[in-house]
Amino acid sequence: MTVTIAREGSIAVVTVDNPPVNALSQALRQALVEAVAELDADGAVKAVVLICAGRTFIAGADVGEFGKPPQPPHLPDVVARIEGASKPWVAAIHGSALGGGLEVALGCAYRVAVASASLGLPEVRLGIIPGAGGTVRLPRLIGPAAAVDLVTGGSPVGAKKAEGLELVDAVIDGDLRAGAIAFAGDVAAKPLPQPISARAVPAVEDSFWESAEKAVAAKAKREAAPLRALASIRNASRTDFAAGMAFERETFLELRGSAQAAALRHVFFAERAAPRPPELSGVTPRAIRSAAVIGGGTMGAGIAAALRDAGLPVVLVERDGAAVERGMANIRAIYDGAVKRGRLVQAVSDERMAGVAGGDDYGLLADTDLVIEAVFEDLAVKRAVFERLSGICRPDAVLATNTSYLDPAAISEGIGHPERFLGLHFFSPAHVMKLLEIVPTGTTAPDVLATGFALARLLGKIPVRAGICDGFIGNRILKVTRAQAERLLLSGAAPSTVDAAMRAFGLPMGPFEAQDLGGLDIAAFQRRAARERGETPFAPVADRLCAAGRLGQKTGGGWYDYMPGERTPTPSEAVAAIIAEEAAGRPQRAWDEAAIADAIVLPMVNEAARILEERVALRAADVDLVKIHGYGFPRWRGGPMHYAEARGLCEVVAVLDRLCADGLAEPPCAGLRRAVEAGGFSLLAG
Ligand code: 3H9
């Protein structure tokens, strides 16, 4: 970390260089305080530019320090020191001014930014609120309504929008350093502006706070930080600056030590580590400049859109002209929808479509860098596709199968250059869902595996490496979720009780509602395949529903009944009768929400421990990312593995033992028991 001071005439330029993102470590905070003192004492300096080296302005407090006791100088004091400087400081922003970085900029007399910069207070995403004046200075500068949006939502805004909010004083075209120095030269001659801390908060109607509270609570669900941030802004709007700061700091410190903040920090670091697994460090991925998708159904169209959104030219290949047209229409529907919802302007949508070439001739793929197959889940059909591709594509082209359940090694059997083959499991809708399971076969070359990770980075997805097994990581655990949900039904819980309990746990939908939405036939198809392999999947009620044609919303009934054209689930007497028949002779009990969540989530953890033992997943945090980004597991609980560790693995095993004794779960696996002894999953996975 270095903070250097250069002089350009009467302007001092303070450059912060603390790679990778100029986070506000203790050493940086100390150096900033010293820089203020030095420049205050230097009579030749009339104004100061604060600028950063590297890819970004200060991106916030150092999140890695959050688990430790705060060390002085504390950030609120650093910001106050800059604000109290005897000459104007000008924050010169490129990249991101986030969290504590924006708070430092709010301490400066002025803020200028390049047009590509973004500014924001994302603290609520880490389960905390701004802790260095963000909730107290921001409403004084841009008014409470805009401050509430920025702080409780956590999304950054671009420099142009920030200028409109008067958060930024000028957008600099061209060289930021030169522009900021010129700006500082202009303001050096003027009297210092009133510090933000001395300004009043613009008044709002009383009713504003009530409606803001309702809106924030509805969005935050069970996350604590957004409402606490709102409370801090509201408090700062009716008290003096010092009282506002004291309230903010107290809330910040309390939340910093909370379970939600620990879980969200865990996810923050897991997400950042995911694209760069240590086992691939030093491996150079193959270049991907063009891509193709085989199959234009829902999945193929979504994958094609994801590739186009990342700027790659895409070829869509289908088996005949009519199928090509249908596939192209599916992609167009994605872009039309984006325009309708205001997410894309028409010109961009047109440009994305123009970059997709459709055809039924595999010859179009002779020079394509990456081909992703997304045809029907049938081994013979998929094999036939790769047989053709193998004869046509360049030997160094990467060939990928998008399969959810089939064995990628079996799909690639017999192809030429099998080292270029891997599984890429996208989640539907593929242009939206963040998760990408990357599945190497025994022959996948390291640089091809690295290409999978590079592709995920390019597409803005979270990559997780998964080993070959039925369902990989995510769907294998999903099978346990469903089986446990059925066990609950047979021991006294109704589908609506189970769904309500899982929503209360934090999932967006319960397991039965979710099956009705997606359709019960896919899982039934997989159970049939499993039985053919000699396995005995447990789904006595689901099997009977499928046999009765109750496949979910699309057939007007599944686990629930649906009125024609409606999506609201109504408890079904027919289903209750089937459950009663299947449950006959089994012990019944009363289930509360916590017990239901335990009976579903802890067996998922047990299965995940098995998955780690088998090295189908390499890290417990990878399982957490899969469940959060592919299956709606609440982020603020940190994923199932973090949840289990935070709860205590001894207790997890004890609950599983009790469930097992009652015939309601599998026994804790050896890996889980070893994790208890080791004090966590990391040793198990390592
Ligand atoms: C805060 O400021 C609280 C204050 O209000 C109160 C204080 C009293 N700390 O994302 P990338 C690491 S809360 C430590 O891949 P990009 C990251 O782990 C904070 N480390 O880069 C990774 O490490 P590695 C509010 C951090 O270019 C490397 O930097 N601020 C931090 O795609 C590169 O990260 C935020 O929440 C950090 N704050 O994106 C900002 N940030 O190389 C969070 C990053 O070892 N950060 N790292 O894997 C971001 O949103 C993105 O990192 C950013 C750059 C957009 C800045």
Side-chain angles (χ1 to χ4, degrees), residues 20-21 55 59-63 99-100 103 122-123 130-131 252 268 272 276:
V21 295
R55 62 189 196 243
D62 187 339
V63 179
E103 290 172 308
E123 282 86 344
F252 167 77
F268 174 89
R272 273 160 185 82
R276 286 178 283 272

Side-chain angles (χ1 to χ4, degrees), residues 14 16 32 48-52 57-58 82 89-92 104 108:
V14 176
V16 170
L32 285 173
V48 181
V49 168
L50 174 63
I51 196 165
C52 291
F57 190 75
I58 300 167
I82 294 173
W89 277 53
V90 178
V104 165
C108 294

Side-chain angles (χ1 to χ4, degrees), residues 19-21 23-24 55-57 59-66 74-76 96 98-101 103 118 121-123 125-126 128-134 249 252 268-269 272-273 275-276:
V21 295
L24 286 153
R55 62 189 196 243
T56 180
F57 190 75
D62 187 339
V63 179
E65 286 183 0
F66 279 6
H74 302 300
L75 193 57
S96 308
L98 297 176
E103 290 172 308
S118 58
L121 291 167
E123 282 86 344
R125 295 190 174 165
L126 290 163
I128 54 174
I129 70 164
R249 187 76 181 162
F252 167 77
F268 174 89
F269 283 117
R272 273 160 185 82
R276 286 178 283 272

